[in-house]
Amino acid sequence: MTEVLSNNTTDKVGSLVKEAEALKAKLEEERQKLNDVTLSSVAERLEMITYLNIKPRRVLKGHQAKVLCSDWSPDKRHIVSSSQDGKLIIWDAFTNYKEHAVTMPTTWVMGCSYAPSGNLVACGGLDNKVTVYPITMEEDISSRKKTVGTHTSYMSCCIFPNSDQQILTGSGDSTCALWDVESGQLLQSFHGHTGDVMSIDLAPNETGNTFVSGSCDKMAFIWDMRSGHVVQSFEGHLSDVNSVKFHPSGDAISTGSDDSTCRLFDMRADKEVAVFSKDSIIFGVNSVDFSVSGRLLFAGYNDYTVNVWDTLKAQRVCLLYGHENKVSCLQVSPDGTALSTGSWDFTLRIWA
């Protein structure tokens, strides 16, 4: 009797697998019908970007070890950075002045982020926690720190989703989580990745209910923050995805990976539309960001350089030299007038 049952189950599973494969093939067929023209062929009509006058304007020195993460303040002037030395520093990017320096309980502070109001910063790392600090004029801001949430592995990245009341984190435990800042309550957890989550970014629209995550499972997922479900997934990278960023239009995402490429995935076409690579580039990408218009893609590499790509033509426009070790993080300022880069050479640099 049990044999008959197990045979039936095997048959059922077999037929369901076949059905799933057939549906996958059908979906691919439909997708190909819509895939009538490539991005590069459309972009041929556009003029080349010939001259970019981007120069190093500031060097921010103060960390005693590798800079791991940085974030611009909404006031377009201040930068928060975190480092392997366990320090969190708030800089005035105009004057090079350090306004605050906070020593964390552990080293390797892997993620830091400004709140939308500019009055809070969040950070975390190998302590598995996300901690929030209010920025006041007091000397010691660490006396008012607040631990908001705890993962079961390191916290790799954090971001405030459009309000100071909540914070979204990504972790080495392969999950993302949404926390209430005031109560420390876990509001939503996001399970789906099979590797460490390395990077997250919010969709640029006001309602802000979707975000993207990149992981060591080589995938980028688009999530619905309310339901906790994956609404879209993008594959194509051959190694860890270290950085993800939404295009300013909200219709595409860019990814940077250890496979030494950046890629552009279009959400409406549901596929990869561009690969940013050259045979001469053999080092991994740690961080990506778009210019305000979305026409330029900045990427920080392990070979100490920043490559600037034409997003539409997928051609390199220029190279920024200056760092003396791998570029671990980069971000375009909120008004688009400057670029900050952080590196394992212990410094941050401002380019404009």
Side-chain angles (χ1 to χ4, degrees), residues 38-40 237 253-255 261-266 271-277 297 310-315:
T38 62
L39 179 65
S40 53
H237 280 294
I253 59 158
S254 175
T255 53
T261 71
C262 303
R263 289 167 198 251
L264 185 69
F265 296 95
D266 188 287
K271 70 184 187 74
E272 179 188 291
V273 289
V275 181
F276 305 90
S277 64
L297 177 68
D310 182 326
T311 307
L312 301 174
K313 289 180 177 287
Q315 292 168 352

Side-chain angles (χ1 to χ4, degrees), residues 313-334:
K313 289 180 177 287
Q315 292 168 352
R316 186 166 71 189
V317 181
C318 76
L319 253 174
L320 306 180
Y321 294 99
H323 281 296
E324 290 158 24
N325 206 323
K326 61 165 76 170
V327 179
S328 51
C329 54
L330 60 75
Q331 194 187 22
V332 173
S333 67

Side-chain angles (χ1 to χ4, degrees), residues 244-261:
V244 287
K245 199 77 194 178
F246 265 96
H247 187 273
S249 67
D251 292 325
I253 59 158
S254 175
T255 53
S257 164
D258 276 343
D259 67 10
S260 73
T261 71

Side-chain angles (χ1 to χ4, degrees), residues 94-132:
F94 289 6
T95 62
N96 286 20
Y97 181 65
K98 294 181 211 51
E99 296 199 354
H100 295 284
V102 181
T103 306
M104 295 285 290
T106 59
T107 55
W108 287 88
V109 188
M110 300 167 80
C112 60
S113 177
Y114 258 102
S117 67
N119 299 327
L120 294 173
V121 289
C123 62
L126 287 188
D127 56 357
N128 300 3
K129 297 185 178 87
V130 57
T131 307
V132 170

Side-chain angles (χ1 to χ4, degrees), residues 163-325:
S163 87
D164 288 22
Q165 277 79 54
Q166 296 177 349
I167 188 157
L168 186 65
T169 55
S171 167
D173 62 17
S174 69
T175 70
C176 302
L178 182 66
W179 311 89
D180 180 76
V181 170
E182 196 51 48
S183 66
Q185 193 183 349
L186 176 64
L187 301 173
Q188 184 70 265
S189 59
F190 305 88
H191 298 266
H193 281 297
T194 54
D196 305 14
V197 175
M198 298 309 288
S199 175
I200 51 178
D201 188 41
L202 285 176
N205 51 10
E206 269 63 67
T207 48
N209 288 317
T210 50
F211 72 94
V212 60
S213 63
S215 159
C216 292
D217 61 10
K218 311 175 194 170
M219 300 288 286
F221 286 168
I222 310 283
W223 301 85
D224 184 324
M225 223 181 283
R226 294 157 299 184
S227 68
H229 296 318
V230 177
V231 289
Q232 237 174 328
S233 64
F234 295 108
E235 58 188 346
H237 280 294
L238 308 174
S239 190
D240 304 4
V241 176
N242 294 323
S243 182
V244 287
K245 199 77 194 178
F246 265 96
H247 187 273
S249 67
D251 292 325
I253 59 158
S254 175
T255 53
S257 164
D258 276 343
D259 67 10
S260 73
T261 71
C262 303
R263 289 167 198 251
L264 185 69
F265 296 95
D266 188 287
M267 290 160 66
R268 293 169 299 182
D270 193 33
K271 70 184 187 74
E272 179 188 291
V273 289
V275 181
F276 305 90
S277 64
K278 284 172 87 74
D279 291 342
S280 57
I281 301 174
I282 54 170
F283 291 89
V285 184
N286 294 313
S287 188
V288 293
D289 198 8
F290 286 101
S291 61
V292 168
S293 68
R295 181 70 194 270
L296 297 176
L297 177 68
F298 297 90
Y301 289 76
N302 283 339
D303 65 356
Y304 316 170
T305 65
V306 174
N307 281 297
V308 186
W309 298 91
D310 182 326
T311 307
L312 301 174
K313 289 180 177 287
Q315 292 168 352
R316 186 166 71 189
V317 181
C318 76
L319 253 174
L320 306 180
Y321 294 99
H323 281 296
E324 290 158 24
N325 206 323

